Amino acid sequence: DSGQEAYERFAQMHLQLYRSVLEPKPEPYAVSPFERVAGHENPANSHVTLDGDPLTRWETERNQTAQMIYDIVLDGVYPVAGVRLDCGVTGEAYARKLRVFLSEDNEIWTEADVYTEDHERYYFSCMPGRYIRLMTGDPGEELDCVWAIAELEVLIQAEE
């Protein structure tokens, strides 16, 4: 019966789709292969994002505006899948409309399509990068807070 065969093909296709959504995927994992970090504002304090102390933090010296930059240089090219930016004890100091750019050579840059659910973990499709530029977007309003990073992790795609 062709109706029965069509139904079975339809059911099989939906089962495959369902499994592809539910099966665990390789999760990005946090690593710290840093060569250096530098905020364009308050650069002397940039290193505290790597000190393991959530009570110390780098922050801009003025209220957050568009195009504030924090640069990360890794010790090699990695398959980067996201960043984790813990803004510390004040949860309001997260980057508004964060933009992320990656480059293998510090010359050709690609903007990642970033998504977040908690303003701490920012994910995007995995792409190779050694140089990572974090940039605030236009908040659309005047903000009464700085941008701060207490702890920083780059999320590298786990090998399958």
Side-chain angles (χ1 to χ4, degrees):
D1 177 59
S2 64
Q4 181 64 27
E5 290 171 0
Y7 173 78
E8 287 174 8
R9 282 194 309 274
F10 177 78
Q12 186 65 27
M13 183 177 67
H14 279 276
L15 182 60
Q16 288 173 348
L17 178 62
Y18 183 73
R19 284 184 179 148
S20 73
V21 170
L22 292 181
E23 286 178 359
K25 305 281 190 289
E27 286 293 319
Y29 59 93
V31 295
S32 300
F34 299 101
E35 185 174 299
R36 67 179 176 276
V37 292
H40 288 210
E41 296 202 13
N42 197 7
N45 207 32
S46 299
H47 68 282
V48 300
T49 63
L50 306 177
D51 68 3
D53 182 352
L55 299 178
T56 62
R57 69 184 200 172
W58 166 85
E59 63 182 43
T60 56
E61 297 174 321
R62 58 192 170 97
N63 286 343
Q64 199 174 142
T65 60
Q67 298 184 352
M68 291 181 155
I69 294 173
Y70 190 92
D71 285 328
I72 302 164
V73 180
L74 303 177
D75 66 2
V77 176
Y78 292 89
V80 180
V83 292
R84 186 183 74 82
L85 308 175
D86 179 357
C87 62
V89 293
T90 59
E92 289 300 310
Y94 63 89
R96 300 314 195 270
K97 298 186 180 178
L98 182 70
R99 299 173 69 192
V100 179
F101 300 85
L102 287 98
S103 175
E104 293 181 59
D105 59 8
N106 204 21
E107 292 183 19
I108 300 170
W109 292 85
T110 303
E111 184 169 5
D113 186 15
V114 177
Y115 65 95
T116 183
E117 294 177 1
D118 61 6
H119 300 293
E120 180 176 333
R121 290 170 192 84
Y122 297 85
Y123 299 103
F124 43 85
S125 294
C126 189
M127 62 178 71
R130 178 176 183 203
Y131 301 89
I132 304 168
R133 173 160 286 173
L134 309 176
M135 180 188 302
T136 55
D138 184 357
E141 61 183 337
E142 194 169 317
L143 297 174
D144 190 25
C145 66
V146 298
W147 175 23
I149 304 172
E151 294 302 311
L152 164 69
E153 291 178 325
V154 174
L155 303 176
I156 304 300
Q157 183 68 47
E159 293 184 24
E160 293 186 34

